[in-house]
Amino acid sequence: MTLIIGMVSQKGGVGKSTLARLVAREYAQAGWQVKIADLDISQGTSTDWKQRREQSKIDPEIAVEPFRTVMQAMKVISIYDLLIFDGPPHSMSGTLEIAKTSHLMVLPTGLALDDLKPSVLLAHELTANQISADKIVFALCRVGDKENEILDAREYIKRAGYRTLTGSIPEKTGFRRASDEGKALSEVSFPTLRNRAEELAQAIIDEASHILSLEKKVK
Ligand SMILES: Nc1ncnc2c1ncn2[C@@H]1O[C@H](COP(=O)(O)OP(=O)(O)O)[C@@H](O)[C@H]1O
Ligand SMILES: [Mg+2]
């Protein structure tokens, strides 16, 4: 069976591609066969990142391929242990397709209401289309250093009826640089940043493991 995780938001620039690469790297490092399906073909962010990663000869190798549709990506999944959808912005239909096929939907969001509100509306839209809230989690990305602001965002999401992952990803030059070099967030050289990235990645891995174990029980 292939685990499928979707990174989605209606907005661009919130951290979908960044999280897709982080999670892909953590599983690949653990020996899983991983593929990122880059559905943001107009930008091809993750596809470009893979090229930088190859040029820098960084291990583990991570497969990234652009796909026009979820259906196209689903045709190739059987050889992978994990497929990560790096979602397109501004596409409700594309996002719903991802949600229908994914075991877990990760919604990265910033802390401002301008970010939180559309993120929650997207989650509402998914649940209105029969996607279970159990498989939706929010990831706080590009956060500042004020703990109160982070707590307020967690509270906002909770009040809307959704869960937020443990940990958060701060907005840092070190992360930008790492990405420019073809690295994932957990491959930065600064231990404090690496720990932050690993904590959030682990929270996603724990969610995915939990969902998979429930699925096995049902079967
Ligand atoms: N935590 C962070 N710190 C610094 N830069 C970040 C961080 N997260 C994302 N970025 C940068 O912000 C931009 C948008 O991130 P990206 O993951 O591509 O968003 P999306 O896929 O949602 O459009 C990229 O240039 C990325 O390198
Ligand atoms: Mg992207």
Side-chain angles (χ1 to χ4, degrees), residues 11-18 21 38 40 43-46 86-89:
K11 285 190 144 192
V14 292
K16 294 181 289 297
S17 300
T18 302
R21 282 137 30 168
D38 187 351
D40 190 359
Q43 303 277 334
T45 318
S46 287
D86 180 3

Side-chain angles (χ1 to χ4, degrees), residues 17 40 65 78 193:
S17 300
D40 190 359
E65 190 175 337
S78 60
L193 290 191

Side-chain angles (χ1 to χ4, degrees), residues 9 11-19 21 45 86 142 169-173 175-176 179:
S9 71
K11 285 190 144 192
V14 292
K16 294 181 289 297
S17 300
T18 302
L19 283 191
R21 282 137 30 168
T45 318
D86 180 3
R142 310 190 73 165
I169 304 292
E171 167 92 31
K172 294 285 179 189
T173 305
F175 280 146
R176 249 190 313 275
S179 165

